[in-house]
Amino acid sequence: MEHCGCHKRKERSEEERKRLVNRLSRIEGQIRGLREMVNNDAYCPDILIQVSAAGAALNSFSKELLGQHIHTCVADGIRRGDDQVVDELVSVLAKLMK
């Protein structure tokens, strides 16, 4: 059973974990590339374009993780009659939409 809510943990399949970690590794590479661009005095617009790409990659990661959360933790909580998971989801969405 997946644990969300008060335990603040979620068991993930090996496939799911690997997919998420691979995406984060690519994002980490983008951030390292940005550091190199700054260290090498790259032209500001070129850096900004790469910052935008890294931001888009993080947003895509967030969307995937949010979708998984809704399909698992939130859906399971609703089936159990736990309205707190909906409140938590609303709170998370508010923070994501800043």
Side-chain angles (χ1 to χ4, degrees):
M1 172 171 248
E2 292 163 351
H3 299 284
C4 286
C6 64
H7 294 100
K8 301 298 182 194
R9 292 185 51 80
K10 180 187 184 305
E11 295 176 23
R12 291 180 173 83
S13 69
E14 189 59 36
E15 178 185 327
E16 179 183 358
R17 183 178 298 105
K18 185 176 180 180
R19 189 173 58 250
L20 291 172
V21 169
N22 284 343
R23 289 182 79 143
L24 288 172
S25 294
R26 285 193 299 272
I27 294 165
E28 185 177 22
Q30 288 178 293
I31 301 303
R32 280 193 306 270
L34 284 166
R35 184 184 312 122
E36 281 299 308
M37 291 178 81
V38 171
N39 283 332
N40 294 327
D41 297 325
Y43 190 52
C44 296
D46 294 338
I47 296 171
L48 289 168
I49 289 168
Q50 292 307 309
V51 168
S52 178
L58 277 170
N59 284 337
S60 180
F61 176 85
S62 294
K63 288 177 198 175
E64 180 176 342
L65 193 60
L66 178 62
Q68 291 173 6
H69 179 63
I70 291 169
H71 285 294
T72 58
C73 302
V74 175
D76 290 345
I78 290 170
R79 286 186 204 104
R80 288 191 314 269
D82 181 4
D83 291 336
Q84 187 176 10
V85 297
V86 175
D87 295 337
E88 180 185 58
L89 177 61
V90 170
S91 175
V92 168
L93 288 173
K95 290 174 184 174
L96 289 174
M97 295 176 144
K98 283 184 184 180

